[in-house]
Amino acid sequence: MKQKTAPSWKFLKYTFWLGPVLIIMGLSAGFVSGSWEPVPLGLMIAGVVIIGLWFLFRVYFRQGDSLKHPYWSRRSTQAGTNAFAATVSVFLIVGLINFLAVRHVVRLDLTENQQFTLAPQTQTLLTNLEQPIKVLVFDRSGNPQAKELLDQYRRIAPEQFNYEFVDPQAQPGVAQEYGVSEFGAVYLESGDQRQSLQKESSQALTEAQLTNGIEQLLSNRIPKIYFLQGHGERPLTDGQGGLQNAVNALGEKNFVIEPLTLTQQSTIPEDADVIVVAGPQRPLFEGEVEALDEYLEQGGSLFVMIDPKTEPGLNELLDKWGVKIDDRLAIDATGSGRLVGLGPTVPIVREYGEHPITQEFNNGISFYPLARPVETRTVEGITESPLIWTEAESWAETNLASRELEFNPDSDRKGPLSLGVALTKPVEVEVSQTSSPTSEAAENTAETSEEATAETPETSEETTAETTEATPETPENSEETTAETTAETPENSEETTAETTEETPENSEETTAETTAETPEETTAETTEETPETTEARLVVLGNSQFATNGWFEQQLNGDMFINTVSWLSKPDQATLSIRPKPVTNRRIAMTPVLGRSISWAALVILPLFGFITAAILWWRRR
């Protein structure tokens, strides 16, 4: 008679799966909480105990047919063991992947403008932080978008960058300390310095605002940029051909912008960090060119952008630096401009030099419409660094009146062409630091004067005393003989005058000798110890100014080229030249109500109905 399996075993055999579940729960709780005691450890121990008891029960309590078919040799045991090992392996692999993902975060940004990746400028700034920066966001609840942005900053510099969300209502004392009266205010702190981030309260915090705010907080000076005017240069206004967008971008980076008219003042302002000459249409006066030349010789920085068919009168100044602007026009024959709606007169640049201005551009694109090539020659003491080149298929066109642009080897120049160059020259500038020697000389002079004043009155007092003693005798003698009085008085006067004359000049000569011996020597010694300070004059020449005008400034790397050039010329204390943080691209589609309803009907009704009809036809034909 066949022995039936006990009913309890039908349910007990499923208790095996409770063990792996408890172990997984313990592992998950431990990784999430960061603590393995007591709950995670207890769950894992319970799971291991259940699995062990289950195996013991299978081996020792079910020996009915173990002699005929040992438990470990059964097919079901082998299949169960394989399934158990595979399950445990999968869980271990998944757990190991999650462990590595938590410890080593890897992010992939597939957006067009790398919206979720900090720009190289920001990364360079955070990497070079020398003191901690703290950001305080006054918001009732942590803004997820702002928190995500601040987390990216902290991941790059976890020891130097930190942030905190402050609820003005829950912490009114902190809000009052910072003078916060509305939600959304952002403050930056670094040591004793504190600065408010200028933005609208309803506006979301952006990378450009935060990075520029940190640069302003850490900067110990405010560069001043002068744009030369009066010769048809690009206006600093809005509209076509203006530089309003470029000026606004410089203002966001804490630059002070002012126009400069040299016909109203003969010299360059002393506070000028950079002079920008943007596309003059008429020649500069000789005195203006001399003022710019003298400014460079004193270690200044000049940014010259010259357009085709213009003669600004700077050839002599540029020739001293070994630069010549070609009169021909750069032509791009690659045909790549057609893909973006541009003609051959707009060279597309992908080649950049090894220079702080362009070091982060890699293979980025910039546009230079109607550009003139820039030629250079070697000049002793001047270091040149080409910035941008056209493609090898380009050339410099001579015959601009021709309807068809074709390369003429007799008159045209084959590419690649240089469209911009940066030059530096060390110069010695006499720095007036005569305050200390002058004061010491004044002290020496004062001491000498005091000594002379102290000695001379003593002699005068002695002389006066002797004269006073001799004078009373005169009346007594006058009572006896008037002649004797007359005879004695001149003698006494002569003696007194002689004594006074002999004593006072001697002291004066000694005083003068001491003053001459001491004061000039000390002053001369301290002045000769000073050596002229060596600084660096910088010049950037581009054969185009239209690339920085409104409309072109926002295209690809055009704005970065202009901002980085001005930043390099201003000789910043901290090198943070790189690509600016990219603005968010608006990809929303503006639709009319009729078009919106049509698209809704197509997505919700027409396409599903088409699918059902197609499926029905296929089913009917196969039937």
Side-chain angles (χ1 to χ4, degrees):
M1 186 173 179
K2 187 176 181 181
Q3 185 179 2
K4 295 183 179 181
T5 306
S8 60
W9 170 246
K10 294 181 180 180
F11 300 98
L12 290 175
K13 65 182 181 180
Y14 295 107
T15 58
F16 166 80
W17 298 106
L18 181 61
V21 170
L22 292 176
I23 293 175
I24 295 171
M25 291 173 60
L27 292 173
S28 302
F31 280 113
V32 172
S33 63
S35 175
W36 297 96
E37 295 179 359
V39 177
L41 184 60
L43 291 174
M44 289 188 292
I45 293 175
V48 173
V49 170
I50 291 175
I51 294 174
L53 292 176
W54 187 85
F55 274 104
L56 289 175
F57 179 82
R58 292 284 297 181
V59 173
Y60 293 104
F61 295 95
R62 299 194 70 226
Q63 297 291 339
D65 54 351
S66 60
L67 297 177
K68 297 180 178 179
H69 303 284
Y71 177 77
W72 296 107
S73 63
R74 297 175 187 174
R75 183 178 298 177
S76 60
T77 303
Q78 296 176 357
T81 304
N82 293 336
F84 174 74
T87 304
V88 172
S89 300
V90 170
F91 280 115
L92 289 176
I93 293 173
V94 173
L96 182 60
I97 292 175
N98 282 274
F99 175 78
L100 295 176
V102 171
R103 294 297 181 90
H104 306 280
V105 179
V106 178
R107 297 165 56 90
L108 296 178
D109 189 356
L110 302 179
T111 57
E112 177 185 6
N113 291 334
Q114 299 294 298
Q115 296 297 328
F116 303 101
T117 302
L118 296 180
Q121 179 193 29
T122 302
Q123 298 181 24
T124 303
L125 177 64
L126 294 174
T127 305
N128 296 331
L129 285 178
E130 297 180 356
Q131 53 187 353
I133 296 289
K134 184 177 182 180
V135 180
L136 287 89
V137 182
F138 290 87
D139 199 350
R140 181 176 302 174
S141 59
N143 190 329
Q145 182 178 356
K147 187 176 184 303
E148 173 63 23
L149 177 63
L150 294 170
D151 284 336
Q152 294 184 45
Y153 277 69
R154 189 163 60 180
R155 276 194 290 267
I156 296 179
E159 297 181 357
Q160 299 289 354
F161 185 87
N162 196 8
Y163 69 89
E164 179 183 355
F165 282 91
V166 180
D167 186 353
Q169 294 182 347
Q171 298 176 289
V174 179
Q176 185 178 4
E177 177 185 354
Y178 286 83
V180 175
S181 58
E182 59 182 0
F183 292 99
V186 179
Y187 275 82
L188 306 177
E189 282 187 347
S190 179
D192 298 334
Q193 298 179 342
R194 180 183 298 175
Q195 176 178 302
S196 173
L197 197 64
Q198 300 296 331
K199 75 178 192 65
E200 299 294 335
S201 58
S202 59
Q203 183 183 8
L205 182 63
T206 63
E207 180 187 358
Q209 294 172 343
L210 188 55
T211 298
N212 292 332
I214 295 175
E215 284 185 334
Q216 294 176 14
L217 180 65
L218 300 179
S219 177
N220 56 3
R221 67 186 183 96
I222 301 178
K224 202 165 188 178
I225 314 301
Y226 284 92
F227 282 76
L228 190 64
Q229 299 290 300
H231 317 88
E233 289 88 354
R234 299 284 181 180
L236 309 181
T237 58
D238 200 0
Q240 186 176 5
L243 298 174
Q244 183 66 49
N245 294 341
V247 170
N248 293 340
L250 289 174
E252 292 177 358
K253 294 184 71 64
N254 204 30
F255 286 91
V256 176
I257 312 300
E258 286 191 11
L260 174 63
T261 305
L262 288 178
T263 55
Q264 299 177 356
Q265 57 188 63
S266 58
T267 59
I268 303 295
E270 295 182 358
D271 60 349
D273 291 289
V274 181
I275 302 296
V276 180
V277 183
Q281 301 298 312
R282 297 181 295 275
L284 278 68
F285 293 105
E286 183 178 354
E288 295 176 314
V289 178
E290 292 178 356
L292 294 176
D293 189 13
E294 183 180 356
Y295 172 69
L296 285 174
E297 293 299 328
Q298 294 297 322
S301 298
L302 183 63
F303 187 12
V304 178
M305 296 176 283
I306 300 179
D307 292 323
K309 298 182 179 180
T310 60
E311 185 58 46
L314 296 173
N315 293 337
E316 183 177 352
L317 184 148
L318 298 179
D319 184 68
K320 292 176 62 177
W321 288 71
V323 179
K324 180 183 178 182
I325 304 295
D326 200 328
D327 293 331
R328 291 171 285 194
L329 189 68
I331 302 298
D332 187 357
T334 60
S336 57
R338 299 176 183 175
L339 301 177
V340 291
L342 301 176
T345 58
V346 184
I348 299 180
V349 173
R350 297 183 180 85
E351 298 292 333
Y352 303 95
E354 294 293 333
H355 193 271
I357 295 176
T358 56
Q359 63 182 356
E360 297 291 344
F361 286 3
N362 297 326
N363 294 325
I365 296 175
S366 55
F367 305 96
Y368 301 88
L370 302 176
R372 298 171 62 175
V374 178
E375 300 178 4
T376 58
R377 59 180 175 84
T378 303
V379 177
E380 184 179 358
I382 295 178
T383 303
E384 60 172 298
S385 301
L387 297 177
I388 48 180
W389 291 282
T390 60
E391 301 289 343
E393 294 81 1
S394 62
W395 75 85
E397 178 64 35
T398 304
N399 187 10
L400 301 179
S402 177
R403 295 184 178 181
E404 297 183 1
L405 297 175
E406 295 182 356
F407 176 70
N408 186 353
D410 296 332
S411 59
D412 299 337
R413 183 159 65 93
K414 185 66 176 174
L417 307 172
S418 173
L419 302 183
V421 62
L423 306 104
T424 60
K425 181 174 70 171
V427 296
E428 291 185 354
V429 181
E430 295 182 359
V431 181
S432 58
Q433 296 180 352
T434 58
S435 57
S436 296
T438 304
S439 59
E440 291 179 4
E443 291 176 1
N444 295 332
T445 306
E447 291 176 0
T448 308
S449 302
E450 290 176 0
E451 292 176 1
T453 307
E455 292 176 2
T456 305
E458 290 176 0
T459 308
S460 301
E461 289 175 1
E462 294 175 359
T463 306
T464 306
E466 293 177 1
T467 308
T468 306
E469 292 177 357
T471 304
E473 295 179 355
T474 306
E476 295 177 358
N477 297 332
S478 60
E479 292 177 356
E480 297 176 354
T481 307
T482 306
E484 291 179 3
T485 304
T486 308
E488 290 177 4
T489 304
E491 291 176 2
N492 296 335
S493 300
E494 290 176 2
E495 291 176 1
T496 305
T497 305
E499 291 177 2
T500 307
T501 306
E502 288 175 0
E503 292 179 3
T504 305
E506 288 177 1
N507 295 331
S508 301
E509 290 176 0
E510 292 177 1
T511 304
T512 306
E514 291 178 2
T515 305
T516 308
E518 295 176 4
T519 305
E521 287 179 0
E522 293 178 2
T523 306
T524 307
E526 293 187 5
T527 305
T528 53
E529 288 179 1
E530 296 180 358
T531 56
E533 181 181 349
T534 301
T535 184
E536 189 177 63
R538 296 184 177 184
L539 173 65
V540 173
V541 182
L542 295 182
N544 180 259
S545 68
Q546 190 174 348
F547 81 99
T549 58
N550 302 326
W552 289 98
F553 183 83
E554 297 84 0
Q555 300 297 324
Q556 298 297 322
L557 297 178
N558 283 24
D560 300 298
M561 182 66 189
F562 181 83
I563 296 297
N564 284 5
T565 301
V566 175
S567 299
W568 178 74
L569 288 172
S570 66
K571 305 174 184 177
D573 298 332
Q574 188 176 11
T576 57
L577 300 176
S578 183
I579 300 177
R580 295 171 294 127
K582 300 300 180 182
V584 179
T585 304
N586 185 6
R587 295 300 182 187
R588 292 179 294 180
I589 301 176
M591 295 184 297
T592 61
V594 177
L595 181 60
R597 287 193 296 268
S598 301
I599 294 177
S600 299
W601 273 93
L604 300 177
V605 178
I606 297 176
L607 290 179
L609 184 62
F610 176 78
F612 280 121
I613 293 175
T614 303
I617 293 174
L618 292 175
W619 173 79
W620 181 261
R621 292 184 61 182
R622 291 180 178 179
R623 180 170 175 269

